Amino acid sequence: EQEQEQEQEQEQKHEQEQEQEQEQEQEQKQEQEQEQEQEQEQEQEQEEEQVQEEEQTQEQEKEQKQEQEQKQEQEQEQEQEQEQEQEQEWEWEEERKEEHEREQEQEQKLEQE
């Protein structure tokens, strides 16, 4: 009987050890799964950041383009103004000339008389 009891105890011990091993394996598996999940989350975050960065870059490019267009418009306006001034000048020149000519004519007339 004693021997039998001993055997039983041994078997029980064995079973317990096996159970423990199984538990450990399961724990390990769980940990691995958790790690995987974490990695996935990280990857997702990275992707999101990339998308955000791209959007920012696009925005910046748009702003730059706008600024350039504004600059161009300004330059055009300036050119126009300059042209207008030039024309004005010419007109004045013409007027002065004519004025001068008229004066001369008058003088001549006076002299003739």
Side-chain angles (χ1 to χ4, degrees), residues 93-108:
E93 274 286 311
E94 280 293 305
E95 279 179 16
R96 276 205 295 274
K97 260 189 188 166
E98 282 176 12
E99 187 74 25
H100 191 68
E101 278 176 9
R102 272 204 298 272
E103 280 179 5
Q104 272 190 336
E105 272 179 18
Q106 283 240 291
E107 277 181 17
Q108 275 185 346

Side-chain angles (χ1 to χ4, degrees), residues 26-74:
Q26 270 214 326
E27 274 184 13
Q28 270 192 341
K29 240 177 135 174
Q30 265 193 341
E31 277 184 8
Q32 271 191 339
E33 280 180 4
Q34 268 191 341
E35 275 185 11
Q36 269 193 339
E37 269 185 21
Q38 270 192 342
E39 277 183 9
Q40 272 193 337
E41 277 183 9
Q42 269 191 341
E43 272 184 16
Q44 262 196 341
E45 276 187 10
Q46 273 189 338
E47 279 180 9
E48 277 175 18
E49 275 184 12
Q50 265 196 337
V51 168
Q52 268 192 344
E53 277 183 11
E54 273 175 23
E55 282 180 357
Q56 268 191 342
T57 304
Q58 274 189 342
E59 274 282 310
Q60 275 186 339
E61 283 178 359
K62 240 171 80 170
E63 278 182 12
Q64 272 189 340
K65 225 178 145 183
Q66 273 188 343
E67 277 182 14
Q68 262 202 329
E69 283 179 359
Q70 271 190 343
K71 239 174 125 177
Q72 274 190 338
E73 274 189 13
Q74 273 188 341

